[in-house]
Amino acid sequence: MERPRLIYYQDAHHFHAKRLDPPLSLDKLRWPVDELLGSGVDVLAFGLGYGDVYFHDSKVGRVVGQLQDVWDSYIDWRIMRMVQNARELGTDQVREVVTYGNAMGLGVYPSLKLQSCDRPGSDRCGLLKWHHADEVCMLEKDEYHPRYEWCYDYAHPMVREDKLNVLREIMSDYEADGVELDFMFVTKFFKTGEEEKNSHLMTEFIGDVRRLADEVGEAQDRKVTVSARVFHQREANLRLGLDVETWLANGSLDLVVGQMSEQFMDTGAFDVGWMVDAAQSSDTGTYVRPTRRVYDERTPVPQLEMYRAFAQTARRQGADGLYLGYLRWPFSQVEYDILREMAYPDAFARRDKRYILQPRETGLVLEELVDYQGGYPKTPHRTEDEITDPPERYLPADLVEGETISVPVVVSDDLEGARADGEMRPPVLTLRFAYFCVEDDVEFRFNGHILDRDDAEVTDERALRLPLSPRGSPFEGPLGMSVHWFRWQLDVDLLREGRNVVEVEVKRMDKSAGFSRSLNGVEVRTRYKDFARPEGLEVERVAPLSG
């Protein structure tokens, strides 16, 4: 199977259905395809409604507008009217996106959220739960996780059959290029304590999806792709009863996407090697979905050079590509630059990249994931309920007299090849300190080489506020602080492919300064002899000539 260069997720909700006012047009229904044409995206993963209530004219699941006459929510009313208008036009959202996508050469994989925690009888309650809640739901009473009560229990065969019915309809009736199984919307599939013993049931379910896809594909003389989106951490999946390695070994999947659980995108300190290794036996494509925030004074979301660094690291570990989603919308040139470049790693191999370190975070718990996805208020949780393991991070690091801070920075560029061709410019190392005292005696080293303090470009800001709106797991580090930045241009031979080490040795601290200070951020920017416009006045670069 030809593997996608770049997959993009569109939830069909926030960036489409809820933006539409009646009357509807085919042009508006086709917008999720049109906005990606000409970018690097060759597969659109397209959400199927809220999770258990659908935006297409399903014959097997509850459709928005079914069993409900009055809408208190403006957004839900808008979506209901989209469904009605599309029906009057003889189509629906999914059918139009799939059909038009195929005509324009864009693959479309409708994405099914496999879990729903909505209460019976609510706006987003599906038909199975509406009629059989006491049979198919977990019914767990837990003050820490109150929404466990109405999660589907995948140990019950009716739940698995219900999801198969939806997938059969999408594969057969809608002739979708493939389907995505979204395990990341609400990550709870079995009753607490029964995950391990029931994991074989989920493995059998994935096998049933594979057989269904093969049967439909044979009947329609085509290939139906099966993709699954799971945690990028092996152990996190196992804690939920998701034996992803077995799914890969037995050939149940064509594609697997490892989704980062952290709040902040660390460009070098992640590992998807287990997933890549497990996928090799079945020749399954492997993709990585990065998170969408950075702890940085310049931007709350990753920028192009950060995406380049992340993608370079994923490629170095053997991943086939990236899976993106939720970029700022409507797309501007910034977003289109990201979508174009992330599809072609060879094209940006020797373009500037920013390898950034992020602050420590806790592991993710169910309530935080539900809050992140659906806007619910957070509830207290127990640390032993964490699904994911906290990422190994080193910042912030307090400065202590007589001690040395040692921080690794992973750089994935092919530095030897660039040096051999004479295409490297001096890399730039930036250290960000919170409440730095200029009268402290501090020594800086990079890969054992002492960096002269007088060679650094030093800037400071008395009252910095990071442009960040945190959502997700708790993290260390202030959002407001006084900051000093130290920047060095490094010798091109000093930087290594792989692990580099930044050291900050505090030899003496000024006795009159009793406040705490810390190393708060680290960035290594790789630079190359690229084609660039000349520098301008009051703008970064001179605009190109017109005409």
Side-chain angles (χ1 to χ4, degrees):
M1 184 186 74
E2 186 175 346
R3 294 175 183 173
R5 289 183 175 275
L6 178 63
I7 305 172
Y8 193 81
Y9 177 73
Q10 221 268 39
D11 69 358
H13 175 199
H14 292 88
F15 308 111
H16 191 226
K18 83 173 191 179
R19 309 280 180 154
L20 303 176
D21 265 330
L24 191 64
S25 66
L26 290 179
D27 179 67
K28 289 293 190 295
L29 272 181
R30 295 169 176 173
W31 181 249
V33 174
D34 280 335
E35 70 178 352
L36 295 177
L37 297 180
S39 71
V41 176
D42 47 8
V43 166
L44 166 63
F46 194 62
L48 287 173
Y50 291 131
D52 211 22
V53 177
Y54 306 107
F55 300 169
H56 63 285
D57 253 336
S58 175
K59 304 300 185 292
V60 297
R62 185 184 173 198
V63 183
V64 174
Q66 188 176 351
L67 302 176
Q68 191 168 356
D69 297 319
V70 179
W71 300 84
D72 296 326
S73 165
Y74 165 66
I75 296 304
D76 289 347
W77 178 87
R78 245 182 172 185
I79 295 172
M80 177 272 295
R81 292 290 287 120
M82 179 206 73
V83 171
Q84 288 183 346
N85 271 195
R87 188 179 296 133
E88 292 163 2
L89 293 172
T91 187
D92 63 43
Q93 186 192 45
V94 172
R95 189 174 303 281
E96 203 60 35
V97 168
V98 169
T99 303
Y100 184 57
N102 285 338
M104 301 304 292
L106 180 71
V108 179
Y109 299 169
S111 178
L112 177 64
K113 299 177 179 70
L114 291 174
Q115 188 55 281
S116 165
C117 56
D118 298 287
R119 298 183 65 84
S122 63
D123 292 356
R124 301 185 181 186
C125 170
L127 292 179
L128 179 63
K129 190 182 299 184
W130 192 288
H131 297 299
H132 301 281
D134 290 341
E135 298 175 66
V136 300
C137 292
M138 295 184 191
L139 304 180
E140 290 190 6
K141 303 287 186 180
D142 187 332
E143 64 174 316
Y144 289 93
H145 306 295
R147 285 181 290 279
Y148 279 11
E149 182 176 5
W150 300 115
C151 283
Y152 283 118
D153 183 0
Y154 270 77
H156 200 294
M158 289 176 64
V159 175
R160 304 193 299 275
E161 185 60 33
D162 179 71
K163 299 306 178 187
L164 283 171
N165 288 337
V166 175
L167 292 168
R168 181 179 293 107
E169 179 179 63
I170 289 298
M171 294 178 188
S172 181
D173 297 353
Y174 285 76
E175 299 187 5
D177 300 289
V179 293
E180 179 187 66
L181 307 176
D182 178 4
F183 287 91
M184 299 301 295
F185 184 63
V186 179
T187 54
K188 179 70 173 175
F189 305 100
F190 299 107
K191 291 180 180 179
T192 303
E194 297 183 2
E195 293 88 354
E196 183 176 358
K197 78 171 187 177
N198 284 330
S199 66
H200 72 281
L201 296 174
M202 191 63 82
T203 297
E204 292 171 8
F205 170 72
I206 300 299
D208 289 339
V209 176
R210 171 80 276 159
R211 283 185 288 275
L212 175 61
D214 291 343
E215 290 170 5
V216 172
E218 184 177 356
Q220 298 181 349
D221 192 26
R222 64 191 186 91
K223 170 69 178 178
V224 180
T225 299
V226 177
S227 177
R229 181 151 48 92
V230 296
F231 277 117
H232 85 288
Q233 293 183 2
R234 175 182 178 272
E235 295 301 321
N237 293 308
L238 290 174
R239 290 180 189 124
L240 299 171
L242 310 181
D243 187 359
V244 178
E245 283 179 309
T246 296
W247 307 351
L248 294 170
N250 64 24
S252 293
L253 300 176
D254 298 299
L255 306 174
V256 62
V257 179
Q259 179 168 315
M260 299 290 176
S261 58
E262 293 82 43
Q263 179 168 189
F264 300 122
M265 188 177 86
D266 200 325
T267 54
F270 63 90
D271 183 9
V272 293
W274 72 272
M275 187 174 69
V276 172
D277 292 343
Q280 288 179 350
S281 62
S282 56
D283 197 30
T284 303
T286 54
Y287 294 80
V288 187
R289 180 175 181 176
T291 51
R292 301 178 291 114
R293 292 178 177 81
V294 287
Y295 181 84
D296 193 283
E297 70 275 6
R298 299 159 296 187
T299 173
V301 296
Q303 296 299 299
L304 179 58
E305 291 185 2
M306 300 173 188
Y307 275 109
R308 288 176 184 164
F310 184 94
Q312 188 77 13
T313 301
R315 187 189 191 200
R316 188 169 181 259
Q317 295 182 22
D320 289 291
L322 296 191
Y323 178 115
L324 301 182
Y326 287 94
L327 294 182
R328 286 184 168 180
W329 190 91
F331 298 153
S332 69
Q333 188 59 48
V334 171
E335 287 72 41
Y336 280 116
D337 284 345
I338 293 170
L339 293 178
R340 171 183 172 273
E341 288 205 17
M342 291 306 99
Y344 299 97
D346 288 332
F348 64 74
R350 289 188 182 176
R351 300 199 71 184
D352 299 354
K353 303 176 190 68
R354 294 181 188 270
Y355 290 91
I356 55 174
L357 300 190
Q358 296 291 275
R360 280 182 291 270
E361 301 180 50
T362 68
L364 195 72
V365 299
L366 174 66
E367 295 305 310
E368 291 164 350
L369 190 63
V370 173
D371 170 75
Y372 174 78
Q373 296 280 6
Y376 296 100
K378 289 184 180 179
T379 58
H381 69 272
R382 300 167 297 223
T383 55
E384 60 266 26
D385 291 329
E386 289 179 356
I387 300 170
T388 63
D389 297 315
E392 186 176 20
R393 293 182 181 167
Y394 301 84
L395 301 178
D398 290 339
L399 273 63
V400 178
E401 187 171 273
E403 296 185 8
T404 300
I405 297 169
S406 182
V407 178
V409 184
V410 175
V411 172
S412 299
D413 288 33
D414 176 17
L415 302 175
E416 289 303 317
R419 278 192 284 259
D421 291 341
E423 290 193 358
M424 279 195 69
R425 296 186 190 275
V428 177
L429 169 68
T430 301
L431 305 183
R432 183 178 65 226
F433 292 90
Y435 306 105
F436 187 84
C437 179
V438 295
E439 295 190 8
D440 290 346
D441 184 3
V442 181
E443 183 173 280
F444 308 93
R445 296 188 293 271
F446 187 82
N447 287 337
H449 176 82
I450 296 176
L451 302 174
D452 194 322
R453 184 165 169 171
D454 291 337
D455 291 339
E457 177 185 301
V458 183
T459 53
D460 68 280
E461 172 59 51
R462 182 183 61 82
L464 177 74
R465 184 75 184 175
L466 271 67
L468 174 68
S469 298
R471 292 185 68 190
S473 54
F475 63 93
E476 298 181 28
L479 293 178
M481 55 191 157
S482 294
V483 172
H484 279 72
W485 293 270
F486 285 71
R487 291 185 179 87
W488 288 269
Q489 284 198 7
L490 304 176
D491 187 278
V492 294
D493 293 322
L494 192 57
L495 190 63
R496 303 169 184 162
E497 180 179 352
R499 191 175 188 270
N500 298 267
V501 178
V502 172
E503 294 176 289
V504 178
E505 182 180 353
V506 184
K507 297 186 175 183
R508 180 188 57 79
M509 302 184 82
D510 185 80
K511 302 303 180 185
S512 66
F515 48 86
S516 299
R517 39 270 212 198
S518 65
L519 176 63
N520 180 268
V522 176
E523 175 186 278
V524 172
R525 187 186 188 205
T526 57
R527 301 167 63 237
Y528 298 91
K529 295 179 180 179
D530 202 355
F531 297 100
R533 300 187 189 113
E535 295 184 0
L537 296 173
E538 298 183 353
V539 293
E540 184 179 357
R541 295 289 175 185
V542 173
L545 294 174
S546 60

